[in-house]
Amino acid sequence: IINVENVRKTYRMGDNIVKAVDGVTLNVFGGEYLIIMGPSGSGKTTLMHLMGCLDKPDSGEIYLAGKCVSKLNDRDLARVRNKMIGFVFQQFNLLPRLTALENVELPMIYAGVPRAIRHKRAKEVLTMVGLRDRMEHKPTQLSGGQMQRVAIARALANQPQIILADEPTGNLDSKSGEEILKIFSDLHSDGLTIIVVTHDLEVAANGQRVIHMRDGRIVSQEVRTSV
Amino acid sequence: IINVENVRKTYRMGDNIVKAVDGVTLNVFGGEYLIIMGPSGSGKTTLMHLMGCLDKPDSGEIYLAGKCVSKLNDRDLARVRNKMIGFVFQQFNLLPRLTALENVELPMIYAGVPRAIRHKRAKEVLTMVGLRDRMEHKPTQLSGGQMQRVAIARALANQPQIILADEPTGNLDSKSGEEILKIFSDLHSDGLTIIVVTHDLEVAANGQRVIHMRDGRIVSQEVRTSV
Ligand SMILES: Nc1ncnc2c1ncn2[C@@H]1O[C@H](COP(=O)(O)OP(=O)(O)OP(=O)(O)O)[C@@H](O)[C@H]1O
Ligand SMILES: Nc1ncnc2c1ncn2[C@@H]1O[C@H](COP(=O)(O)OP(=O)(O)OP(=O)(O)O)[C@@H](O)[C@H]1O
Ligand SMILES: [Mg+2]
Ligand SMILES: [Mg+2]
């Protein structure tokens, strides 16, 4: 469902060159539960942003459900992304002046979902992540783990086909983390494609395949052979 | 070295009341390595901000090295805090327009450290956390784990007596996390007081005492009896 073909992303700072993604080829099949691991700074977030069509590679191609992403204009790209992909950002990226509820409604507003329906759906996903009593709180009125759960709820709001979650449990206690992983597993059973960046081996244990990155490249992968 | 006496912090939002810290009494002895754990939203960050004198309780008292914090004026409080406490924020709180190096120099500028000395010290602590090649990067040019390490370096810059670290390894791979914990252990051997909020049991294993919070209160504690 996502094909990454020899993709590169380089940052230039004066004379300094950072090869954040340095030739990555990766094929994610529809319905896969993929885990991405690797040291801090190895390029995981950069790769996730390229796969989620939030950023363009300097070379190579990205295909989303067979469509070549670089051939889409910005408006079509935004529309496809909004419809197919739910992205959980490592730094949450919540809008500070909106409540938790309004933050979760945002992707649905963009998708043209009628007010009553998106209101109901936003409450539903916030309740799913345990934030029923925090819907009217703004991000500065939430704990770190609560902000992370709002970011997760927002990614689920539009019922996307693909979830890209960048370290979704880093700020959560083990119980809250397990609840989130259960949500992901249930969605995976429903047929969604789940891609999770994590540093946590217990999170990684939920995936079907684990790829390891180092210095902008994929250096190894393991495929789970059990049921 | 820090005494928390029946401290309360309540947030009011319209008719809603959130008892973030609901009567906490805690005595941290000088040189202790204390771990604070608890579910998301249980009040850990709020308690840390009160202990670090970044916030004032609604009731109860806080004593820092024997001084009653509420009796200090803002300027004296800021000076004592800057000199004694290094705080690692859960959301890093880096200044986006400053480089990693400049962010780390900030507490030293405030303390009146001469330019050449603070420049050298900033480079030293950034190298300690593995960011020697990232000193000129601004926060938006850093990975999540790199930002977290800049926040840690900044907390160490002024050689404080107390380190308050709010989930300092949440964005780090296990190797980078271990390097940070080694720094904390070394500082602890030098006599520093270390207080770490964490969700990670492996991090908790480094402490001498673990307190558990729930709904704004301390509900249990364990003291390590081995060497
Ligand atoms: N805008 C930028 N300019 C320069 N360098 C950048 C920029 N963004 C990222 N980098 C660098 O690219 C590398 C990869 O960053 P990335 O955020 O993808 O890492 P990561 O694997 O997600 O790390 P972490 O586990 O710490 O989140 C890092 O070394 C980072 O310093
Ligand atoms: N400014 C505020 N206004 C209203 N409620 C707040 C505010 N700040 C925090 N809260 C609430 O206070 C409670 C405690 O927050 P705190 O940040 O201390 O939790 P925490 O234990 O650090 O959680 P986490 O592990 O998720 O970081 C949370 O339920 C949060 O929603
Ligand atoms: Mg990252
Ligand atoms: Mg917190």
Side-chain angles (χ1 to χ4, degrees), chain B residues 186-201:
Chain B
D186 290 346
L187 291 171
H188 181 237
S189 309
D190 291 346
L192 268 73
T193 306
I194 312 274
I195 304 174
V196 176
V197 168
T198 188
H199 289 307
D200 189 333
L201 291 171

Side-chain angles (χ1 to χ4, degrees), chain A residues 13 45 62 83 104-105 122 127 138 151 153 189-190 202 210 219 222:
Chain A
M13 299 176 53
T45 292
I62 306 232
K83 197 156 147 299
V104 173
E105 287 188 276
T127 301
K138 297 197 173 71
S189 309
D190 291 346
E202 296 198 25
V210 181
V219 294
E222 307 141 26

Side-chain angles (χ1 to χ4, degrees), chain A residues 46-132:
Chain A
T46 306
L47 179 62
M48 289 282 273
H49 281 236
L50 293 170
M51 288 199 285
C53 307
L54 292 160
D55 201 3
K56 290 208 154 97
D58 297 325
S59 70
E61 290 294 347
I62 306 232
Y63 300 86
L64 179 61
K67 293 196 193 73
C68 181
V69 164
S70 56
K71 306 248 179 318
L72 296 175
N73 64 46
D74 281 356
R75 211 196 61 175
D76 290 342
L77 183 58
R79 203 145 29 92
V80 153
R81 192 176 65 216
N82 171 265
K83 197 156 147 299
M84 286 194 66
I85 296 174
F87 205 110
V88 185
F89 294 90
Q90 188 171 4
Q91 308 299 327
F92 319 146
N93 294 17
L94 302 179
L95 298 195
R97 293 197 206 148
L98 302 186
T99 64
L101 195 75
E102 291 164 342
N103 264 288
V104 173
E105 287 188 276
L106 225 43
M108 293 187 278
I109 291 173
Y110 191 84
V113 176
R115 194 175 174 286
I117 297 179
R118 69 174 190 248
H119 213 65
K120 179 165 178 290
R121 173 65 177 165
K123 286 185 179 172
E124 179 185 355
V125 287
L126 280 167
T127 301
M128 246 206 290
V129 298
L131 292 178
R132 193 160 53 86

Side-chain angles (χ1 to χ4, degrees), chain B residues 31-102:
Chain B
E32 177 170 13
Y33 195 146
L34 174 70
I35 303 287
I36 302 175
M37 302 187 81
S40 174
S42 54
K44 308 179 295 297
T45 293
T46 307
L47 178 61
M48 289 281 272
H49 280 236
L50 293 170
M51 289 200 284
C53 307
L54 293 160
D55 202 2
K56 289 207 154 93
D58 297 325
S59 70
E61 290 295 347
I62 306 230
Y63 299 86
L64 179 61
K67 292 197 192 72
C68 182
V69 164
S70 57
K71 305 251 181 317
L72 297 173
N73 63 46
D74 281 355
R75 210 195 62 175
D76 289 341
L77 183 58
R79 204 147 28 92
V80 154
R81 192 176 63 216
N82 171 265
K83 197 156 147 301
M84 286 195 66
I85 296 174
F87 205 110
V88 185
F89 294 90
Q90 188 172 4
Q91 308 298 326
F92 320 147
N93 296 17
L94 302 178
L95 298 195
R97 292 196 207 148
L98 302 186
T99 64
L101 195 75
E102 291 164 341

